[in-house]
Amino acid sequence: MALEHASSAEKSSQVRIRLSTSQTDISLPENTGPILVNTSFRRYALSSLVNAILTTENPIPFDFLINGTFLRTSLDDYITRHGLSSETTLHLEYLKAATPPTHVTSFEHDDWVSAIDVLSSSSVATERKPIANLSANLGQQRILSASYDGLLRVWNTSSNILATSPGAEKGGHASPLKAAKFVSPTKIVSSGVDRTIKVWHYTEDPDRPPSSLNLKATLYGHSASVESLAVHPPSNRILSASIDHTVGLWSSQKREAPSAPEHLLPSAVLRGAKRRKRRSSIPMSEYGPLTLLKSHSGPVTGVLFAPGYPSVCYSTSWDHSLKTWDLPTSTLVDTRIASHALFCVTALPEQNLVAVGTSARHIALIDPRTSAATLASIILRGHNSAVVSLAPDPNSSYALVSGSFDGTCRVWDVRSVKAGKDGRIGEHMYTIDRGNSDKQVRKQGEALKVFSVAWDSEVGIVSAGEDKRVHINQGKVSKDENALR
C-alpha cells in the first residue's frame, strides 16, 4: 500500500520482504506473500505497513528481527552492511515493541542491600501454595530485601515496611545477609556471612496488623559465608552456594531435615569459652543438610534448580566452572570451564540455555546439551564490570536482565545477536543506570555496585545494591505511536 505513493526515483530502490510473527494475536492473513517495499524503510515505516495490513484501530509499534538481529537502521543500510543483493527477499519477524524500563519507586535502607525477591500472584513461590490471607490476593505485591545490617524486610510497593526480622539477640542473623528467597507466601529463607540458613514464618493479616517474621529453624552445615540461595517450592528444597567451596541441599520441612552437625552449632563454638553468653536466648530448631556437594576448588557463587527438572541443579564458582549435579545421587554430571570466574547463574529453558555472569564483564549463554568442549553459544557484552546477578524475563522466553558492579542493570534479548570473531555476540537493548549518572551517588569516581536483580511480571525489574536502595523499574509493550520513531 505504501508503494502506491512512492515516486519513480524511490521505486528504483526496492526490496522484497516476507513478514512473519510468532505472536498469534497479530498474525497476518495466510495469503500474504512477499511485499515490495522501499529500501529506505526503517522500523517506523515497516510498523505502519504492518498496521495497515492488519487494519488495526490503534497503531501498534513493532520491532523487527532479521536473522536474529533487531533492525535499527534502514533496510538499505542492512543490505549494504551484509553484502546482500537487492534481489534478495528479506525475512522479517515482527513483534510488539517494548518501551525502556522507567523508574517507579525506591526503598531506602540503612545499609547495603545484598538481595531481593518478589512475591506476587505470578511468582514461583505462589505456584504450589496460592496466596490466601495476604494482601497480595487483592492485587498487592510484596518485596523481600536482605541487608548488610543483618535484617530482612518485607515491603509493599508503596515503600512501606510491613515486617522486619529480629536481631541476633532474638535468633536472627549475627552478620551481614547475602541471600533471601520466598519459598511460599508464608515461608522465607535467608543466609549470610554467619554461615547459617534461616527459615522464617511470615504472617500478614490486614485485620490484625502488624505483620511478623518469626524464626522457625536454623540450618547448619557450611563452614563459611552462604552467598546464594535457590528454592524449589513444590518440594520445599533449598540450594545454597558457599565460600567453603560446597553446594548445600536442604529441606525447609522439619520432618525431612536431619540433625545439625554438632561441631557447627553455636553451643560447640562457645563450649570452651568461659562465662561467654550464647548470642541468642531464643530456643531454636537446628537442622543439617540433606547433602553437601563437593567438587568446586573455589568459592561457590551461584546455584539454580534446572527448570522443569528439580532433581538437577547448576552451580557457578570462582574456580571458573559451571557444574551440573544430579541431586538424588549427589553426583557431578558435567563441568564447563570458562576463562574467568563465574558469579551467578540463571536459565532460559525454552531456548535450552543456561546464562552465567562473569568477572570479565560479559554474560555467557551455554547450551548444556552440547559437548563439554563447547562453552558459550552466545556472549552478551556491554557491562563495564563484573556481572553478579541475572534474572529471566517472566513474559518472554528470550529476554533477561543483569546486574553489575558497574552500577547498572541491562536488559538483553538473545534474538539480537550477530556473528563476531568470538562467535555469536549480543548487545543490550536497554540500560537502567539506577541514578548512577548523578555524580552525587558515585563513590570515589566509581558507580555504586548492583548486588541483586529480580524480574516479576506484575512488579517489574527490581534491583538492589551498594546505594542502600531497592529500585523498581517497569517496561511494558508500547502503545505510544511516538515509540515507533
Side-chain angles (χ1 to χ4, degrees), residues 188-225:
I188 290 170
V189 293
S190 59
S191 68
V193 177
D194 63 5
R195 305 175 297 176
T196 67
I197 299 168
K198 293 185 181 290
V199 182
W200 306 86
H201 181 70
Y202 176 59
T203 304
E204 180 179 327
D205 188 342
D207 298 325
R208 294 160 61 179
S211 304
S212 63
L213 273 170
N214 298 307
L215 182 65
K216 303 304 291 183
T218 300
L219 309 181
Y220 295 90
H222 287 299
S223 58
S225 175

Side-chain angles (χ1 to χ4, degrees), residues 72-315:
R72 294 292 183 255
T73 64
S74 67
L75 292 174
D76 185 62
D77 288 342
Y78 180 88
I79 291 170
T80 301
R81 188 169 66 251
H82 290 82
L84 302 176
S85 166
S86 58
E87 300 298 320
T88 301
T89 298
L90 298 177
H91 293 262
L92 277 66
E93 178 186 353
Y94 63 95
L95 59 155
K96 294 177 183 176
T99 56
T102 57
H103 180 258
V104 176
T105 187
S106 298
F107 306 162
E108 300 283 346
H109 290 66
D110 297 327
D111 208 336
W112 295 355
V113 186
S114 53
I116 40 88
D117 197 19
V118 180
L119 180 69
S120 73
S121 61
S122 60
S123 60
V124 174
T126 61
E127 288 181 358
R128 176 172 173 267
K129 186 177 181 181
I131 298 171
N133 295 327
L134 297 182
S135 295
N137 194 40
L138 304 177
Q140 300 180 20
Q141 301 83 26
R142 299 292 174 255
I143 310 295
L144 173 65
S145 64
S147 175
Y148 270 65
D149 62 10
L151 301 178
L152 291 170
R153 293 173 178 85
V154 180
W155 307 72
N156 62 23
T157 51
S158 298
S159 306
N160 299 315
I161 298 176
L162 303 179
T164 302
S165 64
E169 69 283 356
K170 293 185 178 181
H173 286 279
S175 302
L177 298 183
K178 300 306 292 287
K181 294 285 186 182
F182 281 105
V183 180
S184 75
T186 57
K187 185 182 291 186
I188 290 170
V189 293
S190 59
S191 68
V193 177
D194 63 5
R195 305 175 297 176
T196 67
I197 299 168
K198 293 185 181 290
V199 182
W200 306 86
H201 181 70
Y202 176 59
T203 304
E204 180 179 327
D205 188 342
D207 298 325
R208 294 160 61 179
S211 304
S212 63
L213 273 170
N214 298 307
L215 182 65
K216 303 304 291 183
T218 300
L219 309 181
Y220 295 90
H222 287 299
S223 58
S225 175
V226 184
E227 298 290 291
S228 180
L229 296 172
V231 298
H232 182 249
S235 65
N236 282 291
R237 293 292 191 264
I238 304 165
L239 287 171
S240 59
S242 175
I243 294 294
D244 67 8
H245 303 189
T246 67
V247 174
L249 176 65
W250 318 74
S251 175
S252 63
Q253 297 281 74
K254 293 182 180 181
R255 65 178 181 270
E256 298 178 340
S259 300
E262 289 190 9
H263 68 283
L264 293 175
L265 295 177
S267 56
V269 175
L270 301 177
R271 193 173 294 137
K274 294 181 179 180
R275 299 179 183 177
R276 189 174 178 181
K277 293 183 179 180
R278 186 170 176 168
R279 285 184 179 271
S280 171
S281 60
I282 304 299
M284 292 185 293
S285 298
E286 299 166 332
Y287 301 98
L290 298 173
T291 187
L292 287 178
L293 306 175
K294 301 177 181 180
S295 177
H296 284 291
S297 60
V300 185
T301 53
V303 282
L304 177 74
F305 284 100
Y309 300 93
S311 62
V312 176
C313 80
Y314 304 107
S315 60

Side-chain angles (χ1 to χ4, degrees), residues 32-44:
T32 304
I35 302 170
L36 194 64
V37 300
N38 201 293
T39 56
S40 66
F41 272 27
R42 306 172 75 94
R43 188 164 65 105
Y44 178 79

